[in-house]
């Protein structure tokens, strides 16, 4: 099972919107609506931001949204804030009762 | 509020067994709406799902192919916790290990890993 592909880094200015992509295959991202996204600040535990492609857990800002097209899922953060600066990871059900993560994207707020 | 508390040694010698425990509060290891997972993170491998256990009238166990021959995850209902054992470790197994809950509804575990333990750095070194 190969890791999902994410850009190593993205950046944006406060108030702007950014999108992080997560590319898998027809065996994982493309075949299941079971993509989730996690935010991780340095030396902190990952935090669930999006599940089932586009669902937000209670307490997560509506500035975070998720979508999927084919084998690629995306996380969009609108109205970028300094506190959004963190690493972001996608995750997908990979079939055969396994789960696969992306390599992570470092978001820098300029 | 669900809380997961991890415990175990932070240093393991090569070829020995890595053992960690995750104590659950606010939920049950035998819950029908959760699966209990182990995930690790290292600079070289990123986040890597290792395996899970869950109860649906009987216990089920799923493991990542990369560690399937070396891993055991066990629920301990009397203590409401679950454990990880990883045999024959090498320095490549050095990582921060997390336990995490995967929320399940309607027979599908699609709720994401919503609660995580605090993470434990386990170093494999002689």
């Amino acid at each position: 099972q190969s890791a999902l592909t994410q850009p190593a880094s993205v950046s944006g200015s406060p108030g702007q919107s950014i999108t992080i992509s997560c590319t898998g295959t027809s065996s994982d991202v493309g075949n299941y609506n079971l993509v989730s996204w996690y935010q991780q600040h340095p030396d902190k535990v990952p935090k669930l931001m999006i599940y089932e492609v586009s669902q937000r857990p209670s307490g997560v800002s509506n500035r975070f949204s998720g979508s999927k097209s084919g084998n690629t899922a995306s996380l969009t953060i609108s109205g970028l804030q300094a506190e959004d600066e963190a690493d972001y990871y996608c995750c997908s059900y990979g079939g055969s009762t396994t789960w696969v993560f992306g390599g992570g994207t470092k978001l820098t707020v300029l | 509020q669900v809380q997961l508390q991890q415990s175990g040694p932070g240093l393991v010698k090569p070829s020995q067994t890595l053992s960690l425990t995750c104590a659950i509060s606010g939920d049950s290891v035998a819950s029908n709406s959760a699966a209990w997972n182990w995930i690790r993170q290292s600079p070289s491998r990123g986040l890597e799902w290792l395996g899970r256990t869950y109860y649906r009238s009987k216990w089920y166990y799923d493991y990542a192919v990369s560690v399937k021959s070396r891993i055991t995850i066990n629920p301990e209902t009397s203590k409401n916790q679950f454990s990880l054992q990883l045999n024959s470790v090498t320095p490549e197994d050095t990582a921060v290990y997390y336990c995490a809950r995967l929320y399940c509804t309607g027979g599908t575990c699609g709720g994401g890993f919503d609660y995580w333990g605090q993470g434990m750095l386990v170093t494999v070194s002689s």
Side-chain angles (χ1 to χ4, degrees):
Chain A
Q1 193 77 45
S2 300
L4 307 176
T5 301
Q6 298 180 233
S9 63
V10 298
S11 62
S13 299
Q16 287 186 332
S17 294
I18 63 96
T19 296
I20 300 172
S21 61
C22 169
T23 301
T25 70
S26 58
S27 298
D28 39 60
V29 174
N31 200 32
Y32 305 97
N33 289 325
L34 296 177
V35 176
S36 51
W37 289 90
Y38 302 85
Q39 176 192 66
Q40 187 177 33
H41 287 108
D43 298 321
K44 298 295 186 183
V45 176
K47 175 186 176 183
L48 177 66
M49 306 302 286
I50 296 287
Y51 67 96
E52 292 180 350
V53 175
S54 60
Q55 302 303 304
R56 265 191 317 276
S58 173
V60 171
S61 171
N62 59 10
R63 297 186 299 105
F64 292 83
S65 61
S67 62
K68 190 185 85 167
S69 178
N71 297 337
T72 299
S74 299
L75 173 71
T76 298
I77 309 174
S78 59
L80 210 55
Q81 299 178 1
E83 67 204 49
D84 300 331
E85 185 163 293
D87 294 329
Y88 290 84
Y89 295 89
C90 62
C91 178
S92 174
Y93 181 63
S96 302
T97 65
T98 63
W99 295 82
V100 60
F101 284 92
T105 298
K106 181 177 180 59
L107 169 62
T108 301
V109 180
L110 302 170
Chain B
Q1 178 77 351
V2 177
Q3 291 187 326
L4 304 178
Q5 181 67 39
Q6 299 175 224
S7 59
L11 180 64
V12 182
K13 288 182 166 52
S15 80
Q16 294 193 343
T17 297
L18 181 160
S19 296
L20 296 174
T21 298
C22 182
I24 303 164
S25 58
D27 200 347
S28 169
V29 70
S31 168
N32 282 317
S33 57
W36 303 98
N37 301 258
W38 287 99
I39 295 164
R40 67 183 178 183
Q41 184 174 28
S42 65
S44 59
R45 302 169 77 102
L47 281 167
E48 181 183 14
W49 177 81
L50 298 177
R52 67 177 180 178
T53 186
Y54 59 98
Y55 185 78
R56 303 289 186 269
S57 303
K58 70 172 187 176
W59 289 102
Y60 292 85
Y61 309 90
D62 298 314
Y63 300 126
V65 170
S66 60
V67 295
K68 194 166 189 174
S69 63
R70 301 191 291 131
I71 190 173
T72 303
I73 295 176
N74 275 325
E76 299 177 57
T77 54
S78 62
K79 296 182 179 180
N80 201 29
Q81 63 187 30
F82 63 109
S83 64
L84 166 70
Q85 285 194 311
L86 189 64
N87 303 325
S88 305
V89 297
T90 71
E92 282 211 348
D93 293 310
T94 294
V96 175
Y97 285 77
Y98 294 100
C99 58
R101 186 184 85 162
L102 182 63
Y103 188 62
C104 311
T105 57
T108 301
C109 289
F113 299 101
D114 58 352
Y115 290 98
W116 296 63
Q118 79 273 24
M120 289 194 64
L121 174 61
V122 179
T123 301
V124 179
S125 174
S126 54

